[in-house]
Amino acid sequence: MAPHSANLWVLVGLGLAGILIMTRKLKKHAMKQDFGAFIQKLQLLPPPQPAPPKAPHPLTSLTFVLSDIFDVDGHVTTFGHPEWARTHEAASQTSPVVSALVEGGATCIGTTVVDELAYGISGENKHYGTPTNPAVPARIPGGSSSGAAVSVAANLVDFALGIDTIGGVRLPAGFCGILGFRPSYGAVSHNGIIPVSKSLDTVGWFAKDPDILRRVGHILLQAPVVIQRNPQQIFIADDCFQHINVPLDRISQVVIKSTEKLFGRQVLKHINLEEYLCTKLPSLKELSNQNRNGELKASLKSLTNVMKFLQRHEFRLMHKEWINIVKPDLHPAVSADLHEKFEGSDVELENCKSVRNEMRAAVNSLLKDEGILVIPTVADPPAKSGGKEILSEDYQSRAFSLLSIASISGCCQVTVPLGFYDKCPVSVSLIAQHGGDRFLLDTLQTMYTTLQEQVDIAAKTKSSRNVLSQEQSAEIAKEKGNQAYKDKQWQKAIGFYTEAIKLSGNNATYYSNRAQAYLELGSYLQAEADCTRAINLDKKNVKAYFRRGRAREMLGYYKDAIDDFNYALILEPTNKMAASAAKRLRKLFQ
């Protein structure tokens, strides 16, 4: 072949390669335009506006999307899996909640990605692609309603509909830095929606603007117009905030300061939620007491087990036959959960129903008509995309412990973004009693601007404090804790000691001091766990041995308690309290 012919073929090859590369780049760019959120673009147009003097439709000019779990007339719902779409026919009518929004003046522009079979919480979907989290692109958007949350976060639409079973709206709202509302169980119709777990499923929605969130709520809840009320009590669940990976001044303190500014300090109440639930949920109390290792939120972990049992049992009841016949390719976590041996007895199912009833009664009794419970939405920042962190038992347990509160009680909950910490979105959640949806949306509307103002103040304050080392800041927090302890403000002391631990987690004194405050509250499992950590950091911490001995004595672990008192005496032979405690227990039990 002549040299000029060879050169020609080289040029042609390079040209084709260039075209291929450009095509890939254009496809990638196109995907970025909608952040990979959509399954299908479509249009559901509202009816014409009424003639004056009638008011325009309440949702006029607003656009929205649907998680691909809602029926739309003439369209096949994928349920997050192509095999579901292949084996099911197009819907013959549109879901009533979708129709209500369109009739209210909003325009639907498409359906969006959900986790496979809407079963997970990561927002990842290997079949349709994982939507890109606009707030932090390298991390997961959260699920199951990932595409809906991403559409709102990316300003592609004004609001979006999703399904929240075990956190499918609340968690992606927190991860994407937007508002997410889970209504009271049964408050919004489930008709025309593929069920995941009929006793847990709720239709939730996302927005960036609290006014839009509220307007959508008025359409979907169909609740009568009532005079707006301010909350009379706002309960801060201190124990839930003590184990999150964000400083307290960026979350709980923002809520506290906003509450004081809007409603006065007298409205604020502090509560150890786990201890409260242990007194109100007899079926979970024994499980919590039997947990000897002092793990975080034993009773909430037990609630998680109930939630997961109901989800798995009811999902299998509805869809197991389809899964066994079609044998779809599933995400490993979903496949393991649905295919592993599962023998849920009628007795276990009835016990779960009892827990659900007890939980709703407990939360309603606490909050009544005009109370709000404040908890973190999630304990950890969104996991990295494609990583295994989201699959870890610890990560999921920490997430579900918080998400299970509203899922099991059936109460309404709203996720509220509070800016960023360490480049990831952070949020807080407000919970009202079952049926308090209008009240919760009104409270959010009242508090939202002040909350955002306090977020800005906290961020600026942090910048001014950067001149202090973390160790210095930790010592300041510890001293504040000591003062609160002296004033017998045990929960407040725990909060300050927790802050010190977050700033300097290898200081045994901070754990030992927090254990002492836990002892005053009767939180013996937490006290035992803190003392153990203190001893691991400092084998000569006499106070930690003595305090662990006290905690173990109260838990009924008498031999272990005697050993702790004896070791405290070895380290400090003149310790009269340890000597007296060891002598008393030896007389009784040896």
Side-chain angles (χ1 to χ4, degrees), residues 133-145:
N133 186 339
V136 51
R139 296 178 180 264
I140 61 172
S144 61
S145 304

PDB file of all heavy atoms in Angstrom, residues 133-145:
ATOM      1  N   ASN A 133     -26.101  13.576  42.830  1.00  0.00           N
ATOM      2  CA  ASN A 133     -26.502  14.462  43.919  1.00  0.00           C
ATOM      3  C   ASN A 133     -25.978  15.873  43.635  1.00  0.00           C
ATOM      4  O   ASN A 133     -24.774  16.103  43.663  1.00  0.00           O
ATOM      5  CB  ASN A 133     -25.928  13.938  45.240  1.00  0.00           C
ATOM      6  CG  ASN A 133     -26.406  14.723  46.454  1.00  0.00           C
ATOM      7  OD1 ASN A 133     -26.833  15.861  46.342  1.00  0.00           O
ATOM      8  ND2 ASN A 133     -26.329  14.118  47.614  1.00  0.00           N
ATOM      9  N   PRO A 134     -26.847  16.848  43.335  1.00  0.00           N
ATOM     10  CA  PRO A 134     -26.368  18.194  42.989  1.00  0.00           C
ATOM     11  C   PRO A 134     -25.618  18.884  44.125  1.00  0.00           C
ATOM     12  O   PRO A 134     -24.765  19.734  43.877  1.00  0.00           O
ATOM     13  CB  PRO A 134     -27.666  18.957  42.662  1.00  0.00           C
ATOM     14  CG  PRO A 134     -28.681  17.900  42.370  1.00  0.00           C
ATOM     15  CD  PRO A 134     -28.315  16.752  43.263  1.00  0.00           C
ATOM     16  N   ALA A 135     -25.931  18.518  45.354  1.00  0.00           N
ATOM     17  CA  ALA A 135     -25.301  19.176  46.505  1.00  0.00           C
ATOM     18  C   ALA A 135     -23.869  18.701  46.707  1.00  0.00           C
ATOM     19  O   ALA A 135     -23.000  19.479  47.111  1.00  0.00           O
ATOM     20  CB  ALA A 135     -26.123  18.913  47.768  1.00  0.00           C
ATOM     21  N   VAL A 136     -23.613  17.424  46.421  1.00  0.00           N
ATOM     22  CA  VAL A 136     -22.279  16.848  46.603  1.00  0.00           C
ATOM     23  C   VAL A 136     -22.150  15.687  45.618  1.00  0.00           C
ATOM     24  O   VAL A 136     -22.467  14.544  45.950  1.00  0.00           O
ATOM     25  CB  VAL A 136     -22.037  16.449  48.087  1.00  0.00           C
ATOM     26  CG1 VAL A 136     -23.159  15.599  48.634  1.00  0.00           C
ATOM     27  CG2 VAL A 136     -20.695  15.776  48.272  1.00  0.00           C
ATOM     28  N   PRO A 137     -21.713  15.967  44.390  1.00  0.00           N
ATOM     29  CA  PRO A 137     -21.773  15.002  43.288  1.00  0.00           C
ATOM     30  C   PRO A 137     -21.030  13.691  43.516  1.00  0.00           C
ATOM     31  O   PRO A 137     -21.388  12.673  42.917  1.00  0.00           O
ATOM     32  CB  PRO A 137     -21.145  15.776  42.121  1.00  0.00           C
ATOM     33  CG  PRO A 137     -21.398  17.208  42.443  1.00  0.00           C
ATOM     34  CD  PRO A 137     -21.280  17.298  43.934  1.00  0.00           C
ATOM     35  N   ALA A 138     -20.035  13.681  44.372  1.00  0.00           N
ATOM     36  CA  ALA A 138     -19.265  12.448  44.584  1.00  0.00           C
ATOM     37  C   ALA A 138     -19.953  11.489  45.545  1.00  0.00           C
ATOM     38  O   ALA A 138     -19.458  10.389  45.785  1.00  0.00           O
ATOM     39  CB  ALA A 138     -17.869  12.790  45.104  1.00  0.00           C
ATOM     40  N   ARG A 139     -21.098  11.895  46.084  1.00  0.00           N
ATOM     41  CA  ARG A 139     -21.775  11.070  47.084  1.00  0.00           C
ATOM     42  C   ARG A 139     -23.188  10.694  46.625  1.00  0.00           C
ATOM     43  O   ARG A 139     -23.755  11.316  45.729  1.00  0.00           O
ATOM     44  CB  ARG A 139     -21.813  11.792  48.433  1.00  0.00           C
ATOM     45  CG  ARG A 139     -20.405  12.002  49.007  1.00  0.00           C
ATOM     46  CD  ARG A 139     -20.411  12.759  50.317  1.00  0.00           C
ATOM     47  NE  ARG A 139     -19.063  12.942  50.826  1.00  0.00           N
ATOM     48  CZ  ARG A 139     -18.475  12.156  51.723  1.00  0.00           C
ATOM     49  NH1 ARG A 139     -19.130  11.110  52.211  1.00  0.00           N
ATOM     50  NH2 ARG A 139     -17.255  12.391  52.136  1.00  0.00           N
ATOM     51  N   ILE A 140     -23.732   9.655  47.252  1.00  0.00           N
ATOM     52  CA  ILE A 140     -25.039   9.135  46.845  1.00  0.00           C
ATOM     53  C   ILE A 140     -26.144  10.153  47.123  1.00  0.00           C
ATOM     54  O   ILE A 140     -26.030  10.969  48.040  1.00  0.00           O
ATOM     55  CB  ILE A 140     -25.354   7.809  47.562  1.00  0.00           C
ATOM     56  CG1 ILE A 140     -25.387   8.005  49.090  1.00  0.00           C
ATOM     57  CG2 ILE A 140     -24.381   6.714  47.162  1.00  0.00           C
ATOM     58  CD1 ILE A 140     -25.874   6.789  49.852  1.00  0.00           C
ATOM     59  N   PRO A 141     -27.234  10.085  46.345  1.00  0.00           N
ATOM     60  CA  PRO A 141     -28.347  11.001  46.596  1.00  0.00           C
ATOM     61  C   PRO A 141     -29.295  10.510  47.678  1.00  0.00           C
ATOM     62  O   PRO A 141     -30.103  11.271  48.196  1.00  0.00           O
ATOM     63  CB  PRO A 141     -29.067  11.037  45.242  1.00  0.00           C
ATOM     64  CG  PRO A 141     -28.796   9.683  44.656  1.00  0.00           C
ATOM     65  CD  PRO A 141     -27.417   9.291  45.120  1.00  0.00           C
ATOM     66  N   GLY A 142     -29.204   9.226  48.038  1.00  0.00           N
ATOM     67  CA  GLY A 142     -30.141   8.648  48.998  1.00  0.00           C
ATOM     68  C   GLY A 142     -31.402   8.181  48.290  1.00  0.00           C
ATOM     69  O   GLY A 142     -31.775   8.682  47.229  1.00  0.00           O
ATOM     70  N   GLY A 143     -32.067   7.180  48.881  1.00  0.00           N
ATOM     71  CA  GLY A 143     -33.249   6.609  48.236  1.00  0.00           C
ATOM     72  C   GLY A 143     -34.336   6.306  49.246  1.00  0.00           C
ATOM     73  O   GLY A 143     -34.184   6.610  50.425  1.00  0.00           O
ATOM     74  N   SER A 144     -35.436   5.757  48.803  1.00  0.00           N
ATOM     75  CA  SER A 144     -35.579   5.197  47.471  1.00  0.00           C
ATOM     76  C   SER A 144     -35.913   6.226  46.395  1.00  0.00           C
ATOM     77  O   SER A 144     -35.667   6.002  45.209  1.00  0.00           O
ATOM     78  CB  SER A 144     -36.691   4.137  47.489  1.00  0.00           C
ATOM     79  OG  SER A 144     -37.932   4.709  47.863  1.00  0.00           O
ATOM     80  N   SER A 145     -36.469   7.374  46.766  1.00  0.00           N
ATOM     81  CA  SER A 145     -36.942   8.364  45.782  1.00  0.00           C
ATOM     82  C   SER A 145     -35.815   9.300  45.364  1.00  0.00           C
ATOM     83  O   SER A 145     -35.931  10.529  45.454  1.00  0.00           O
ATOM     84  CB  SER A 145     -38.115   9.151  46.372  1.00  0.00           C
ATOM     85  OG  SER A 145     -39.141   8.295  46.791  1.00  0.00           O
TER      86      SER A 145
END
